[in-house]
Amino acid sequence: MPGANWRAAAGAGAGARRPRGARDREEDGGGLEPAAATRDLLRGTSNMSFEELLELQSQVGTKTYKQLVAGTSPKKQGSRPPIQNACVADKHRPLEMSAKIQVPFLRQVVPISKKVARDPRFDDLSGEYNPEVFDKTYQFLNDIRAKEKELVKKQLKKHRSGEEHEKLQQLLQRMEQQEMAQQERKQQQELHLALKQERRAQAQQGHRPYFLKKSEQRQLALAEKFKELKRSKKLENFLSRKRRRNAGKDRRHLPLSKE
């Protein structure tokens, strides 16, 4: 009967689960009998019931049972892994390069840490930019710029013509433009400060503060600029330059005259 066959084969297969010395002696001498019993057991499993398969698994062990069902050899699976070399590789050993890949002409022998450039204008480590504090801190630069401007004017009087005269003229013009831009920026800061104080006063009185739009702020700045030009008697020159500039823009959009 199939049940008797697998019990006999299981007894023979269980003999494979002996101590290591017994298995070594068995492999040297009579190693064919357990292999033949395993083949008989593998043939008999096709006719076994589920209860008989469970009983076989409990007798021979789960690992051996899976190897028998899969058709692999228990001898190969149960063999000891090769002994690895106990010596650990030294981290300071030279770098090994493959002979199949061409070595580049320039290669990094020693690792170098990458230098990261830091711009103090956009770095949080430098703090937050405050125009009022910046102007108060570097107020001494205005005196230095004024002395440099006087020096350029003296040099310009000495060089009446030539290439040096043109360079000094351009330098003086650039310094005057920077001075005008600084004054305009200062006026805008004063205007923003006045608006801020006005909103604070409205909030203290219990009124809801009104925040001006950017277009309204530009109109206020333009009105202040016209007042300043009128006080300095430069309004006519400013308006004439603006008219010429606008006329040049309009002339570009006109159609070309046919000759």
Side-chain angles (χ1 to χ4, degrees), residues 102-109:
Q102 184 179 2
V103 180
F105 179 72
L106 297 175
R107 64 187 181 93
Q108 187 176 358
V109 180

Side-chain angles (χ1 to χ4, degrees), residues 15-149:
R17 301 173 61 191
R18 301 179 198 175
R20 186 179 299 172
R23 284 205 306 271
D24 296 341
R25 290 192 301 270
E26 194 173 0
E27 289 175 1
D28 296 338
L32 296 175
E33 292 181 0
T38 303
R39 286 195 298 271
D40 295 341
L41 181 60
L42 191 59
R43 293 195 202 97
T45 53
S46 60
N47 300 325
M48 291 181 188
S49 63
F50 187 69
E51 295 181 359
E52 293 173 344
L53 290 173
L54 289 177
E55 188 176 355
L56 174 63
Q57 182 179 355
S58 63
Q59 286 190 6
V60 301
T62 305
K63 185 175 180 181
T64 308
Y65 174 76
K66 289 182 178 180
Q67 292 173 354
L68 290 172
V69 173
T72 57
S73 175
K75 181 180 177 182
K76 293 182 180 179
Q77 295 292 336
S79 59
R80 290 180 295 176
I83 301 174
Q84 297 180 354
N85 191 7
C87 81
V88 181
D90 187 10
K91 64 179 181 180
H92 299 294
R93 68 185 187 277
L95 181 63
E96 296 182 4
M97 303 295 291
S98 176
K100 298 180 181 180
I101 303 174
Q102 184 179 2
V103 180
F105 179 72
L106 297 175
R107 64 187 181 93
Q108 187 176 358
V109 180
V110 180
I112 303 173
S113 58
K114 184 179 179 182
K115 294 184 179 179
V116 181
R118 188 177 72 88
D119 195 342
R121 298 175 298 172
F122 309 106
D123 199 345
D124 296 335
L125 297 175
S126 302
E128 187 177 356
Y129 172 69
N130 191 347
E132 299 175 1
V133 178
F134 183 83
D135 291 340
K136 289 180 181 179
T137 306
Y138 296 97
Q139 192 174 5
F140 64 93
L141 293 177
N142 297 331
D143 300 335
I144 297 176
R145 291 192 187 102
K147 292 179 181 178
E148 290 178 351
K149 187 177 178 181

